[in-house]
Every structure is written in C-alpha cells, then in structure tokens.
Amino acid sequence: MSVTVRPAGRRDLPALLRLYAQLYPEVARPATVDDGAIWDAIEATPGRTVLVAEVAQGVVGTVDVSVVPNLPRRGEPVLLVENVVVDVRHRRTGAGRALLAAAEELGRAAGCYKLQLAAADEDAFRFYESVGLRPGGRVYTTYLRR
C-alpha cells in the first residue's frame, strides 16, 4: 500500500475528527464546538504543522508537530509530537511509520536537536520503539481541566 504524507488543510477536518475520536473516545464533541475556529488557531501557531497520511481510500492517520525554540540549548528547537493516530483498519500498513518519518524530517529541516513525544500504553510503546525511538525519561501529567 502506497502511503503519502502531506500537511493537513481545512478540507481534512472531517477525517481528522474521525481519527481523533479513535484516539480520544472519552472526549465528547458538542455541536457547539467551532472546529473551523480551532483549525484556524492551529494554522496560525508558528512552528506547528498537522500532517496526514493518505492512501487510495483517503486520510488514514495524522500527527501534530510543533517546532519549539529551547533557550537552554542556545535556541536549538525541539520537535514536540502529539496526537499520533492511525485508523484502526489501517494499522500495521506503514502509515504510522510514514507519519513519524515525515515528522522527523520536518524536525531535522527545522534544526531540531530532538523529537519528543509521550505515550501511555504498551501498543504505543512497542510501535515507537520499532521505529527507533527510545524511552528518555518519565512523563508527568496533571490535567488542569476535566
């Protein structure tokens, strides 16, 4: 299966929302949420790119990356990776691997010294390690709103 990775656009919102529902099934999406305004804010964030993986059937995966300057490293940026998800019917097809490779390339092109992401389950741990990522510490989280 041929996978293409490209930056997402507003036209991808329905596909992104379907993927995010798989990633965060516990998050309700009230009809009052203005997804277009949220997308506009994402696109307006400097250094932020949402990538999508496409196959003949359409968008099957996504990753959200942000290039963030890091003052202690003389401004060398870090690539923060969030919201990695591949449609359950397209896992183990290379889409996730292609997304992370594209994210890594974006980070290299931006001069990032590292790629950093957090994962919370064994399947994710195995996948990330299979693409060459290594545990680099612990992640601590507190939710500021529920």
Side-chain angles (χ1 to χ4, degrees):
M1 172 182 328
S2 176
V3 178
T4 302
V5 176
R6 62 170 174 79
R10 182 182 276 274
R11 73 183 186 279
D12 296 308
L13 269 174
L16 290 169
L17 293 173
R18 281 192 303 277
L19 290 165
Y20 294 149
Q22 290 182 36
L23 183 62
Y24 300 113
E26 73 281 5
V27 176
R29 299 230 21 105
T32 57
V33 172
D34 185 348
D35 295 317
I38 296 167
W39 182 256
D40 291 344
I42 288 168
E43 283 193 317
T45 304
R48 188 166 181 190
T49 305
V50 177
L51 298 171
V52 292
E54 258 184 333
V55 296
Q57 297 86 355
V59 172
V60 298
T62 187
V63 64
D64 188 340
V65 298
S66 296
V67 175
V68 180
N70 191 355
L71 186 59
R73 297 280 302 208
R74 301 170 312 279
E76 290 178 302
V78 60
L79 185 71
L80 301 178
V81 176
E82 283 286 327
N83 301 325
V84 180
V85 60
V86 172
D87 182 278
V88 68
R89 295 165 303 204
H90 291 88
R91 292 183 184 159
R92 301 189 191 293
T93 64
R97 191 173 292 273
L99 282 165
L100 286 180
E104 187 174 317
E105 182 54 38
L106 192 151
R108 286 185 197 285
C112 294
Y113 73 96
K114 73 176 177 180
L115 177 156
Q116 184 170 297
L117 61 80
D121 67 64
E122 290 297 326
D123 288 338
F125 300 157
R126 281 190 294 277
F127 169 67
Y128 293 135
E129 290 178 17
S130 79
V131 297
L133 300 178
R134 296 292 170 251
R138 294 182 182 182
V139 174
Y140 295 89
T141 303
T142 187
Y143 289 91
L144 303 177
R145 293 185 324 128
R146 297 211 187 256

